[in-house]
Amino acid sequence: MSSSSKATPPPAGIYVPVPTFFAKEGTSAYNSITPGLDLATQTEHSLFLVKAGIRGLVILGSTGEAIFIRDEERKELIASQRKALDEAGYKDRPIIAGTATQQIDDTLAMIEASKEAGAEFAMVLGPGYFAPATSQVGIQKWFEAVADKSVLPVMIYHYPGVTNNLYIAPSTFEKLAAHANIVGCKLSHGIVDDQTLIAASPNIDHAHFSVFTGLGQNLLPVLTIGGVAAIDGLAGVFPSVVVKLFDMYNTSVAKGISQSDLQEMRLLQFKICQGEKLVAKYGVIGIKEAIARVWGMGDQKGGRLPLAGGFEDANEWSKWEEIYTGLQKLEEKFRAESKSN
């Protein structure tokens, strides 16, 4: 792709890194090591999200247990959700497909398969196996090599927690943002100064390169420094709650933020932060537990090994129940308001 024909970033909004739902014990597709996909629940959850205003889905990111998914399952999963969204009237909701490979050719093959299945963007996890020995130049060249040949626009996925603490410097993001086929990043860390140095950088064309936080607990701060929104785990449980904060911010900016607007947004961000503590502590295990307990979708023990089994402590959910009951009431309130408007 030439520099004169830059790819376009995903539309601004709230995206969900969806969990991959697996067959429940007692069903024909179940086995205790690698239970099969549960596409019916996957679709139920996808439609639950987009009906609440979620702008798009990230399929097979970290929350989607991408490293445990076989190639043929990747195609089946993406294709089934693209078909479900299209048939339900949500053709405008893009699918971003994650990759979590170290080898460039494998990454490119995975991106090509994702496109064939219906994905519109690729979210590429940094190569962290040799993180302590990897230079910023090496990181830059790795992503550029992927982006040069990728059949989908590339988003850089920076998640030190699953990449051996690989660090991608803001200056490296500035260089990568100039690539015609690199259209944004997901920053799944809490380094606010680095987020600012990317999202507010005057050296980046922000019409071409969008900054998404991977942490809903950072949504309001990230919006104020130039980020476009979030790819957020809690939004997989309470989509309307997270979308509400995004909409409130953009509406208030358009008309002029009042003190009451600011107080309302701070309170909603506070409640989101309370819920995000479970996501931060347990990741996909906590997200699946919450979706199953709050909405009855899927199985809180529905991961693949070594994540199968859910919470080890049978009393763990009781520690979060009050917070999640409050968020559920907010979710139902915002959904009702949306339907009446």
Side-chain angles (χ1 to χ4, degrees):
M1 179 178 292
S2 69
S3 59
S4 60
S5 57
K6 290 184 176 181
T8 302
I14 303 299
Y15 291 69
V16 170
V18 294
T20 299
F21 293 93
F22 298 113
K24 294 181 182 179
E25 189 172 356
T27 61
S28 60
Y30 176 80
N31 71 69
S32 60
I33 299 173
T34 53
L37 300 176
D38 180 358
L39 295 180
T41 301
Q42 196 78 45
T43 295
E44 181 186 8
H45 184 242
S46 293
L47 296 179
F48 168 79
L49 298 176
V50 294
K51 289 176 181 177
I54 291 300
R55 193 63 190 83
L57 305 179
V58 175
I59 296 179
L60 295 173
S62 302
T63 303
E65 300 179 54
I67 59 170
F68 304 144
I69 303 298
R70 296 185 290 268
D71 289 345
E72 62 270 21
E73 291 176 320
R74 162 178 289 272
K75 294 178 183 178
E76 185 180 12
L77 184 60
I78 294 171
S80 70
Q81 298 315 290
R82 183 68 273 161
K83 183 173 183 286
L85 293 177
D86 290 352
E87 290 181 347
Y90 295 100
K91 292 183 179 182
D92 63 335
R93 309 301 168 96
I95 288 176
I96 303 171
T99 74
T101 56
Q102 306 284 311
Q103 210 275 338
I104 289 169
D105 289 336
D106 289 345
T107 302
L108 290 168
M110 195 170 286
I111 293 171
E112 186 169 359
S114 299
K115 181 180 180 180
E116 291 172 359
E120 287 88 356
F121 298 90
M123 189 177 76
V124 179
L125 187 68
Y129 189 88
F130 290 111
T134 303
S135 69
Q136 293 301 304
V137 171
I139 292 168
Q140 178 187 342
K141 289 184 175 180
W142 190 92
F143 274 108
E144 287 175 343
V146 171
D148 282 345
K149 295 185 178 180
S150 173
V151 295
L152 290 176
V154 169
M155 295 183 66
I156 299 165
Y157 184 16
H158 186 21
Y159 187 5
V162 297
T163 55
N164 200 17
N165 287 318
L166 180 75
Y167 179 67
I168 307 177
S171 58
T172 303
F173 275 102
E174 287 187 348
K175 295 180 180 73
L176 289 171
H179 194 288
N181 204 32
I182 296 178
V183 296
C185 61
K186 177 188 178 186
L187 303 176
S188 292
H189 60 69
I191 310 172
V192 177
D193 53 338
D194 276 16
Q195 293 174 352
T196 304
L197 289 170
I198 301 165
S201 172
N203 299 319
I204 291 176
D205 175 6
H206 295 287
H208 165 65
F209 185 90
S210 294
V211 174
F212 289 77
T213 178
L215 306 173
Q217 55 267 52
N218 284 358
L219 177 57
L220 184 57
V222 167
L223 289 174
T224 67
I225 60 171
V228 303
I231 299 171
D232 175 51
L234 187 71
V237 190
F238 304 112
S240 293
V241 173
V242 182
V243 169
K244 180 71 172 180
L245 180 56
F246 173 78
D247 288 344
M248 284 171 60
Y249 175 81
N250 284 287
T251 299
S252 61
V253 165
K255 70 179 179 62
I257 298 178
S258 67
Q259 189 63 35
S260 62
D261 291 335
L262 192 57
Q263 288 299 111
E264 191 176 356
M265 287 188 286
R266 284 173 176 169
L267 178 58
L268 187 53
Q269 181 69 86
F270 174 83
K271 292 178 179 180
I272 289 171
C273 285
Q274 287 182 308
E276 295 281 5
K277 287 292 186 181
L278 174 69
V279 178
K281 184 175 183 179
Y282 290 103
V284 62
I285 293 172
I287 291 169
K288 283 189 171 180
E289 183 93 22
I291 292 170
R293 287 188 178 270
V294 175
W295 304 115
M297 283 184 272
D299 181 357
Q300 58 259 43
K301 298 180 180 180
R304 282 183 171 172
L305 289 174
L307 297 182
F311 290 150
E312 288 188 273
D313 181 357
N315 296 318
E316 181 65 20
W317 180 253
S318 64
K319 302 172 186 177
W320 304 92
E321 194 164 10
E322 183 178 353
I323 290 171
Y324 273 66
T325 297
L327 286 167
Q328 182 181 11
K329 289 178 181 177
L330 266 184
E331 177 73 21
E332 291 167 343
K333 174 177 179 285
F334 293 152
R335 281 178 177 260
E337 289 173 354
S338 178
K339 287 180 181 178
S340 64
N341 291 336

